[in-house]
Amino acid sequence: MIQLDKVNKWYGDYHALVDVTETINKGEVVVVCGPSGSGKSTLIRTLNRLEPIQSGQITINGQDIHRRGLDLNEFRSHIGFVFQQFNLFPHLNVLENCILAPARLRGLKPAEAKARSLALLERVGLAHKATAFPSELSGGQQQRVAIARALAMEPPLMLFDEPTSALDPEMVGEVLLVMRDLARDGMTMICVTHEMGFAREVADRILFMDAGQVLERATPDDFFNRPQSPRAQKFLSDIRTPFAVEF
Amino acid sequence: MLDLIHDYWLYFLIGQYPNGPFGGLGLTLVLATSGLLLSLPLGLIFGIARISPFRIIRWPITALVYLVRGTPLLMVIFWAYFFLPSITGHKTDQITTMLTALVIFDGVYLAEIVRAGILGLPKGQLECARSLGLGYFEAMRFIILPQALRSMLPSLVNQFISTIKETSLGYIIGLTEVSFIASQINTQVLTKSTQVYFILGLTYFVLCFSLSRFAYWLEKALQRTRSQKAAA
């Protein structure tokens, strides 16, 4: 479904993505992990062109996403993106947050868009909050609404950029559960996350990144039990035994 | 001073109307209000152009903003008064001239308010709207501007206050707004300059002071809803 071919990105002199070549299949759940600044978020943001790339090629469903004449808005409307900071629209209530894009872009009738959004809110367990404003929700609830809002466009692909990193610890679980259910329903998902439990249980494949390169691509079992690269071995031991750092 | 008010209050409020041109404090308020309302769309366009990703749009508007901000309003009024007729070919009346000058001048200041209002929002809002597939202008219209305008309200009231004071410069082109009327009264009465201009000053002050209290109240009210929301 997605092919990256020798993708390179620089921020000024900083080489953020180095010759990234990768294939992601339909229905696959891929978790991207790695230390801060390793290029995980940058990678996922290039996939819906929130970040431009300087060289290489990205194709989705056989089409180069940087080709001339691409309708960028139409293209983006088929990719769900969930941000670390939720980014709910604070002046709209929960239901309006979900309805806006499908009503504007898919030409749905208001009643239709409303019914669909309510069904999705039901799915993330928040139908009873439909008329609440984002500021009245907890972080976990906001993120679940953000997921429902992305799903309202019925995208075949969902991208998650550290969806639980801005949450209080007790709210991480509710968001991960929604994501797990989504994965079980067969959604193609790419998740940048530090939640190793989620990676182990839900991911089909794990990409480990460091310094803009994908160092490791493995099943969760292989990655957690038999990491190949020294960098991945160190990363895993650091998160398992955080107090073993030598000063 | 009371007899002064007693004799001239109606003239002070509406000028010679209905036996002559409408003027006085009424004209001042009409000018300030319509000036602000008309410059609002201009300010929106300029403000958005100021942060446009396209240089070809951003640069000329930025230049215009700097040009007008670096010029006293009096200059802009003179331009409107002398320059405008030379391009349109016929003489414009004082109200239109003043309004033109005010709209250009305010439009530029509003552009900066709009720009600050938009840039004050978290970057993720636009990014998120775009990631859903909304175009730039759709995102502006439905997501960015409704939020930005709300936070701009106190600044808009402050701009309105400035505009009220700015209309006094219409005096220079013979516009019968309240300062002009006051000086007319002064010429008629001759002996009470201090009182006449004291009343004029007091009028401006009461108007602008109450508006600036209103702006302050608005600011607090907005902050309150924001912190209430944050606390909830």
Side-chain angles (χ1 to χ4, degrees):
Chain A
M1 186 183 197
I2 305 173
Q3 276 99 30
L4 293 100
D5 187 27
K6 288 202 162 47
V7 171
N8 280 281
K9 170 161 186 74
W10 283 268
Y11 291 108
D13 288 336
Y14 181 67
H15 203 168
L17 293 177
V18 184
D19 278 335
V20 176
T21 299
E22 202 57 58
T23 302
I24 289 147
N25 297 313
K26 192 164 167 32
E28 204 174 15
V29 177
V30 174
V31 163
V32 185
C33 64
S36 298
S38 58
K40 315 177 293 280
S41 289
T42 308
L43 178 70
I44 197 172
R45 286 165 59 89
T46 60
L47 296 179
N48 73 343
R49 285 187 53 182
L50 278 178
E51 296 285 349
I53 60 173
Q54 273 80 43
S55 75
Q57 193 181 42
I58 303 175
T59 54
I60 295 184
N61 292 330
Q63 299 268 34
D64 182 352
I65 68 166
H66 294 95
R67 70 182 182 278
R68 270 178 190 284
L70 170 89
D71 181 343
L72 185 57
N73 298 327
E74 153 78 13
F75 161 73
R76 281 181 175 149
S77 76
H78 295 289
I79 299 177
F81 199 102
V82 177
F83 294 83
Q84 182 177 353
Q85 300 297 341
F86 333 134
N87 290 332
L88 292 185
F89 307 132
H91 61 300
L92 302 176
N93 72 23
V94 164
L95 193 60
E96 290 163 344
N97 261 278
C98 297
I99 287 175
L100 179 75
R104 298 291 313 167
L105 304 172
R106 297 279 189 266
L108 290 186
K109 291 194 189 71
E112 223 176 328
K114 189 177 167 188
R116 187 200 278 185
S117 296
L118 275 174
L120 286 167
L121 287 172
E122 185 73 56
R123 190 165 159 192
V124 300
L126 287 170
H128 61 293
K129 293 283 187 188
T131 55
F133 279 85
S135 52
E136 298 160 355
L137 303 179
S138 72
Q141 291 172 327
Q142 288 192 47
Q143 191 61 298
R144 280 146 66 199
V145 172
I147 294 174
R149 176 178 64 181
L151 290 174
M153 296 299 284
E154 303 191 316
L157 168 67
M158 287 284 286
L159 306 175
F160 294 85
D161 186 7
E162 303 204 24
T164 58
S165 298
L167 294 175
D168 289 341
E170 78 264 29
M171 295 168 185
V172 169
E174 59 189 83
V175 172
L176 292 180
L177 274 179
V178 168
M179 289 169 63
R180 188 198 64 188
D181 292 346
L182 203 54
R184 287 186 178 166
D185 291 343
M187 177 66 79
T188 310
M189 292 165 59
I190 305 177
C191 318
V192 173
T193 181
H194 296 296
E195 295 300 327
M196 290 303 133
F198 175 81
R200 192 190 287 270
E201 194 190 337
V202 180
D204 296 311
R205 203 147 57 92
I206 292 179
L207 302 182
F208 175 78
M209 289 186 74
D210 187 43
Q213 288 174 299
V214 178
L215 291 186
E216 202 128 346
R217 39 180 75 69
T219 62
D221 179 44
D222 281 341
F223 178 71
F224 287 109
N225 300 320
R226 290 168 292 281
Q228 302 298 307
S229 64
R231 192 66 191 81
Q233 288 161 3
K234 178 163 189 319
F235 177 77
L236 284 169
S237 87
D238 283 351
I239 52 177
R240 275 176 191 148
T241 48
F243 297 117
V245 183
E246 286 173 48
F247 288 101
Chain B
M1 202 160 85
L2 281 176
D3 51 328
L4 199 62
I5 296 173
H6 181 263
D7 290 344
Y8 289 103
W9 66 275
L10 192 63
Y11 184 47
F12 188 77
L13 285 184
I14 56 170
Q16 289 174 309
Y17 190 81
N19 303 317
F22 179 62
L25 190 60
L27 181 62
T28 295
L29 289 176
V30 166
L31 261 179
T33 312
S34 43
L36 190 77
L37 288 181
L38 290 175
S39 56
L40 207 57
L42 196 70
L44 270 181
I45 295 169
F46 282 2
I48 291 173
R50 278 275 276 147
I51 49 173
S52 162
F54 304 107
R55 265 181 242 170
I56 192 139
I57 299 172
R58 193 173 67 233
W59 282 3
I61 298 299
T62 306
L64 179 73
V65 167
Y66 279 117
L67 180 72
V68 176
R69 282 208 306 173
T71 332
L73 176 60
L74 193 60
M75 277 302 111
V76 182
I77 294 172
F78 281 152
W79 283 343
Y81 191 66
F82 296 113
F83 188 56
L84 208 60
S86 74
I87 16 176
T88 55
H90 50 85
K91 201 171 176 307
T92 19
D93 62 281
Q94 282 116 329
I95 294 187
T96 318
T97 307
M98 188 63 194
L99 208 53
T100 310
L102 276 180
V103 166
I104 294 173
F105 201 71
D106 276 357
V108 158
Y109 279 87
L110 288 179
E112 293 301 272
I113 296 176
V114 170
R115 173 168 162 264
I118 292 174
L119 293 181
L121 296 177
K123 196 169 132 258
Q125 289 287 313
L126 182 61
E127 225 169 41
C128 180
R130 298 302 307 274
S131 83
L132 284 166
L134 295 171
Y136 182 80
F137 289 104
E138 277 177 310
M140 277 289 161
R141 182 173 151 208
F142 295 109
I143 307 302
I144 303 301
L145 287 180
Q147 296 182 59
L149 285 172
R150 203 169 300 183
S151 62
M152 280 160 44
L153 273 178
S155 309
L156 286 182
V157 178
N158 280 322
Q159 188 60 33
F160 184 58
I161 296 170
S162 303
T163 313
I164 289 178
K165 293 183 285 185
E166 281 159 1
T167 53
S168 64
L169 285 174
Y171 177 91
I172 212 79
I173 55 168
L175 189 76
T176 58
E177 45 68 56
V178 70
S179 301
F180 186 88
I181 295 290
S183 77
Q184 294 290 91
I185 296 173
N186 182 41
T187 342
Q188 283 173 35
V189 185
L190 272 178
T191 52
K192 293 186 175 166
S193 303
T194 317
Q195 288 92 326
V196 169
Y197 286 112
F198 176 76
I199 292 171
L200 178 65
L202 192 69
T203 309
Y204 277 119
F205 177 78
V206 167
L207 208 60
C208 296
F209 179 73
S210 35
L211 274 169
S212 72
R213 291 308 299 174
F214 174 62
Y216 182 75
W217 175 84
L218 255 182
E219 207 168 300
K220 290 284 160 225
L222 282 172
Q223 259 170 24
R224 239 189 339 268
T225 45
R226 228 170 269 157
S227 57
Q228 260 171 16
K229 281 181 173 180

